Amino acid sequence: MVAIPAVLEAGAESRFSVSLMKPSRNMVMTITLRTKQGTLTLLHKIRCLEFHNVFKFQVPSGLKDEVADFEVELRGAKFYSKEVRKVMIRTYEPMTFVQTDKPIYLPGQTVKFRVVTIDTKFRPATQLYDIIDLEDPNSNKIGQWLKETSNGEILQLSFSLNAEAREGIYNIIVSIGKNKIYRNFKVEKYVLPKFEVNIKAPDKVSIGQEEIEVKVCAQYTYKQSVPGLITAEMCRPLYRYIRETEDIKPPCFVETMEADESGCATFFFEMSTFKKIVKVVQASLLLSAKVEEEETGKTMTSTTLIF
């Protein structure tokens, strides 16, 4: 019994297993691989004892998706057997990836990017990159690198954008022979929010529970807590087809607390507040949290639904 994969990778190491069971006398086993390049003898063994083994071999390189013959021949004094199976020898091209350190840049910032080529075993491979171009939104070349190589590692490059760089989509184009790999990023004059509001509330509540606990926290983008006032408002919204009037209003409860040292405040809403006018209100609660920064009076809000 001889087993070999149906598809072999050109130039790579492969294996086949052989089991010879209960031979009656000396047997000569010959296993060959026949390709257009020629015949490769993988095993030639004279054996009179039973054996089970796995053999390694190097698949010929330079083959382009070729069907080869895998031939097993067994010869004895009064016995002869030969079997030929077809195997595919396939060439797998290495894969190249381009990655930037972030998707959006401000004019004047430095774009850091890396190029890596990996083989079929996902290991960094040595690859020559003929041309690496950086194009602006009008397809003008604003940066270029020639004949860069990875040397089996990750190639790291950078480019400093002009302070007046045009906003839009920029492209990094890596050329390897006739193949091109693209990666884009965006240049935009954006402003990060000074702080953000996070709500920690249950996803679901039961009409039978007595109260709902909600925690609201505010943090600056550099993770420090925001001093100020936190206002939490919980309402049970009316159905969309119900118009709010003086007599019909959604049940709500509003409370304001000062943020603690961690920038948080914990609120407890009584469930009984939201059990009124059941026929015209939805089976959900809308929670809105507003944080007012102590020094500037700037506010940020966040909302969530509880079912």
Side-chain angles (χ1 to χ4, degrees):
M1 182 188 303
V2 181
I4 190 171
V7 180
L8 307 176
E9 180 185 348
E13 183 182 82
S14 190
R15 302 179 181 189
F16 64 92
S17 61
V18 180
S19 296
L20 181 63
M21 294 169 282
K22 298 180 180 180
S24 57
R25 53 184 62 85
N26 278 352
M27 307 291 291
V28 179
M29 176 179 284
T30 305
I31 298 177
T32 54
L33 183 68
R34 300 185 187 276
T35 68
K36 291 180 181 179
Q37 291 183 351
T39 300
L40 176 66
T41 301
L42 305 180
L43 180 69
H44 183 74
K45 201 174 190 68
I46 301 173
R47 194 75 178 182
C48 61
L49 299 175
E50 182 175 307
F51 77 96
H52 309 275
N53 212 339
V54 176
F55 298 91
K56 300 178 182 179
F57 71 99
Q58 195 73 21
V59 182
S61 58
L63 301 175
K64 295 290 184 180
D65 291 355
E66 177 183 328
V67 177
D69 290 333
F70 182 74
E71 183 180 293
V72 179
E73 186 180 47
L74 196 60
R75 187 188 300 271
K78 295 182 180 180
F79 175 83
Y80 179 78
S81 174
K82 179 179 178 181
E83 187 171 350
V84 180
R85 292 291 177 89
K86 302 291 185 182
V87 294
M88 169 66 77
I89 299 179
R90 181 159 289 170
T91 301
Y92 293 93
E93 297 293 336
M95 296 178 289
T96 299
F97 300 91
V98 183
Q99 184 182 42
T100 56
D101 62 326
K102 54 184 180 179
I104 304 176
Y105 297 87
L106 286 166
Q109 286 188 328
T110 298
V111 179
K112 297 178 182 180
F113 66 98
R114 55 189 181 182
V115 186
V116 60
T117 299
I118 57 174
D119 60 19
T120 55
K121 293 181 174 61
F122 299 100
R123 300 171 301 191
T126 298
Q127 179 66 59
L128 174 66
Y129 308 112
D130 299 315
I131 305 174
I132 301 175
D133 287 323
L134 178 59
E135 294 184 351
D136 69 8
N138 291 334
S139 298
N140 298 315
K141 288 183 175 63
I142 60 172
Q144 189 176 75
W145 297 261
L146 301 175
K147 302 298 181 182
E148 295 281 351
T149 181
S150 61
N151 290 323
E153 298 177 351
I154 296 175
L155 175 65
Q156 301 194 57
L157 300 169
S158 63
F159 181 85
S160 295
L161 294 168
N162 190 287
E164 301 299 323
R166 185 187 301 272
E167 294 186 62
I169 302 299
Y170 287 64
N171 278 300
I172 300 170
I173 307 168
V174 178
S175 300
I176 306 173
K178 295 181 180 180
N179 297 327
K180 294 183 182 295
I181 299 93
Y182 295 83
R183 177 73 181 187
N184 62 56
F185 61 88
K186 192 175 185 180
V187 173
E188 183 178 78
K189 294 178 182 178
Y190 64 94
V191 178
L192 287 172
K194 192 174 181 181
F195 62 88
E196 59 182 8
V197 179
N198 296 310
I199 298 175
K200 296 180 181 179
D203 295 328
K204 296 180 180 180
V205 294
S206 169
I207 199 71
Q209 67 187 74
E210 294 183 1
E211 60 183 13
I212 305 167
E213 181 179 347
V214 172
K215 188 175 183 180
V216 180
C217 296
Q219 283 188 325
Y220 292 108
T221 51
Y222 45 86
K223 301 303 180 183
Q224 285 191 354
S225 59
V226 179
L229 296 177
I230 300 177
T231 300
E233 180 180 21
M234 183 176 288
C235 295
R236 190 171 179 185
L238 299 174
Y239 285 113
R240 293 181 181 179
Y241 57 85
I242 302 296
R243 187 176 180 181
E244 185 176 335
T245 65
E246 290 185 5
D247 297 325
I248 303 176
K249 292 185 178 181
C252 294
F253 185 83
V254 183
E255 187 177 1
T256 299
M257 298 178 65
E258 190 171 346
D260 60 20
E261 292 182 357
S262 62
C264 300
T266 302
F267 300 86
F268 295 91
F269 295 95
E270 302 241 349
M271 182 61 79
S272 59
T273 305
F274 310 105
K275 294 181 180 180
K276 304 172 183 177
I277 55 172
V278 177
K279 293 183 180 180
V280 294
V281 290
Q282 300 181 35
S284 61
L285 297 170
L286 178 62
L287 175 61
S288 177
K290 181 179 73 172
V291 177
E292 181 180 343
E293 189 182 25
E294 187 176 68
E295 291 186 7
T296 64
K298 182 179 179 181
T299 61
M300 294 286 288
T301 61
S302 180
T303 59
T304 189
L305 272 175
I306 302 173
F307 297 94

